[in-house]
């Protein structure tokens, strides 16, 4: 009887741990430059809860990062040890503020344009790709 109880408890703990590990820890993600009031909310789907997307206008050499709350000091995703200039279509490391060195390093692009941004939090990668639409600046979530 003790072995059955022990087995049930172990299996319950394993199932609980699996649920916690696969749960989407981030409920919101925003692209933020200098001001939170000008941030752009990104969207995910139920099929890919850890993949966040937005199409936004980015200015050349202007730093940005990703916040999970509409305030400073919460969980952030940023560049890591140094500012990083992103190349269109190339996945780059995305570092959580929970796991970095405390530096507030940001991402940048070298050309002002509209970009499709994809943040894959499960794989800690960010990719910016120059958007097909360049007619007007996109200053809201598209």
């Amino acid at each position: 009887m003790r072995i059955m109880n022990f087995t049930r408890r172990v299996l319950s703990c394993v199932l609980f741990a699996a649920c916690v590990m696969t749960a989407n820890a981030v409920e919101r993600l925003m692209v933020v430059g200098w001001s939170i009031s000008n941030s752009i909310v990104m969207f995910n789907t139920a099929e890919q809860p850890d993949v966040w997307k937005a199409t936004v206008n980015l200015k050349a050499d202007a730093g940005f990062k990703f916040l999970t709350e509409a305030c400073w000091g919460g969980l952030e995703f940023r560049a890591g040890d140094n500012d990083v200039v992103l190349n269109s279509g190339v996945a780059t490391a995305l570092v959580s503020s929970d796991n970095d060195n405390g530096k507030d390093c940001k991402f940048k692009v070298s050309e002002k344009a509209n970009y499709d941004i994809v943040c894959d939090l499960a794989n800690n990668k960010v990719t910016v790709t120059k958007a097909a639409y360049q007619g007007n600046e996109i200053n809201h979530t598209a």
Side-chain angles (χ1 to χ4, degrees):
M1 188 66 153
R2 287 185 174 184
I3 291 176
M4 287 179 58
N5 286 338
F6 175 77
T7 304
R8 283 184 190 154
R9 288 182 181 165
V10 168
L11 287 176
S12 295
C13 290
V14 168
L15 288 173
F16 176 75
C19 290
V20 168
M21 290 175 61
T22 59
N24 183 15
V26 174
E27 294 180 14
R28 177 190 335 187
L29 197 64
M30 300 173 292
V31 182
V32 178
W34 181 253
S35 170
I36 292 175
S37 63
N38 293 329
S39 64
I40 303 295
V41 176
M42 301 180 77
F43 290 98
N44 64 346
T45 63
E47 295 79 27
Q48 292 184 299
D50 290 323
V51 177
W52 296 81
K53 299 178 181 181
T55 301
V56 299
N57 186 270
L58 299 174
K59 295 175 179 30
D61 301 317
F64 65 94
K65 59 186 175 180
F66 305 94
L67 300 182
T68 59
E69 300 175 32
C71 62
W72 303 114
L75 179 62
E76 300 179 1
F77 293 92
R78 46 195 181 207
D81 290 336
N82 299 297
D83 288 351
V84 173
V85 177
L86 299 171
N87 295 310
S88 184
V90 178
T92 304
L94 186 64
V95 179
S96 164
S97 59
D98 285 344
N99 300 320
D100 70 1
N101 58 12
K103 291 184 179 178
D104 190 22
C105 297
K106 297 179 180 59
F107 298 104
K108 299 178 180 183
V109 293
S110 60
E111 179 184 2
K112 177 181 163 77
N114 293 326
Y115 289 90
D116 296 321
I117 301 175
V118 177
C119 289
D120 182 347
L121 302 183
N123 294 304
N124 298 315
K125 297 287 183 186
V126 60
T127 306
V128 298
T129 306
K130 197 169 176 184
Y133 176 77
Q134 295 296 326
N136 293 307
E137 290 183 10
I138 298 175
N139 293 316
H140 54 83
T141 303

